[in-house]
Amino acid sequence: SPIAVLSEFDNKTIGLQVGTSQEAIVGKIFKDPETAYYGSLPDAMIALENGKIDAFFGDDLPLIYAAGRTESMTVLCTGGDPIEASMVFRKSERGDRLRGEFNAFLAKFKEDGRLAALTGKWYDGTEEERVMDTSPLTGENGTIAVAAEVGYAPCEYIKDGKLVGFEIELVREFCREYGYIPEFYNTVFDSLIMGVY
């Protein structure tokens, strides 16, 4: 049934993703929530569909994308405080170099407007517009291993049997500019950072 205000979820069961810091936020927004943890967004959506939880609390874009594909779910509210997203690199000489290269790439990518274009395509565009440049990368500087949790469209997901999404294309563009070939590994969220070490 339609929910008018967040307080209607007080004393309800709220789903959260394992490995996130969202439990502290949920405790501030809702009165006496019961929490249930899920390893992936698809698992949480199934639990929500089957009535095992009353709501799922998470990042706007993947939730909007997931709710838009079913008539039984909606996103109650969006646009809270932005959460900064980061790339994590191993603490090593190579990790330091990659971090420096990625920061330089990101600054240039933002300044020349490519970041805004990429964001618009994946976050505001239609599925037909979400096409990636999959031309071969040169790889003259070797490969880099990249952990990502596939299943969070439009950030990273499988489309027509291929790994696509905003974060995937961002990494590929970095690799194109710096001469790497990315090797993507599908990893559950709560082990992403530990997998770097």
Side-chain angles (χ1 to χ4, degrees):
S1 60
I3 300 294
V5 293
L6 286 171
S7 63
E8 293 187 40
F9 285 101
D10 290 346
N11 303 301
K12 301 285 186 180
T13 303
I14 310 294
L16 299 166
Q17 183 168 357
V18 174
T20 67
S21 60
Q22 295 168 340
E23 184 173 14
I25 300 169
V26 165
K28 291 177 183 176
I29 295 174
F30 305 105
K31 179 182 176 186
D32 299 322
E34 183 175 329
T35 53
Y37 292 90
Y38 295 90
S40 70
L41 181 58
D43 289 344
M45 295 296 100
I46 292 169
L48 186 58
E49 187 80 39
N50 292 324
K52 293 183 178 182
I53 57 177
D54 298 299
F56 182 80
F57 187 84
D59 297 330
D60 288 358
L61 291 169
L63 292 179
I64 291 167
Y65 191 93
R69 286 169 169 50
T70 176
E71 293 190 16
S72 64
M73 296 178 202
T74 189
V75 176
L76 176 58
C77 65
T78 64
D81 292 335
I83 297 173
E84 296 291 332
S86 302
M87 299 289 277
V88 177
F89 298 91
R90 187 180 180 110
K91 288 185 177 181
S92 67
E93 185 177 320
R94 184 169 194 245
D96 290 345
R97 187 183 74 247
L98 285 169
R99 184 176 57 252
E101 290 172 347
F102 191 81
N103 284 339
F105 161 77
L106 203 52
K108 181 180 174 186
F109 205 64
K110 184 176 182 179
E111 184 178 308
D112 66 19
R114 289 183 291 165
L115 182 59
L118 190 68
T119 302
K121 175 173 76 172
W122 289 103
Y123 294 159
D124 300 323
T126 65
E127 195 60 41
E128 292 75 30
E129 295 170 313
R130 294 178 178 141
V131 178
M132 274 182 26
D133 177 0
T134 57
S135 60
L137 302 173
T138 59
E140 66 268 14
N141 291 319
T143 62
I144 59 170
V146 182
E149 184 174 11
V150 178
Y152 282 85
C155 302
E156 60 271 319
Y157 62 111
I158 302 294
K159 177 181 174 182
D160 299 328
K162 295 181 181 168
L163 183 59
V164 298
F166 171 80
E167 294 171 5
I168 304 304
E169 187 166 6
L170 182 66
V171 168
R172 282 187 55 84
E173 289 305 307
F174 164 71
C175 289
R176 184 179 313 285
E177 195 155 317
Y178 281 85
Y180 297 111
I181 293 178
E183 293 179 351
F184 291 99
Y185 295 89
N186 186 14
T187 309
V188 293
F189 185 82
D190 57 333
S191 64
L192 279 173
I193 293 176
M194 292 308 296
V196 173
Y197 298 95

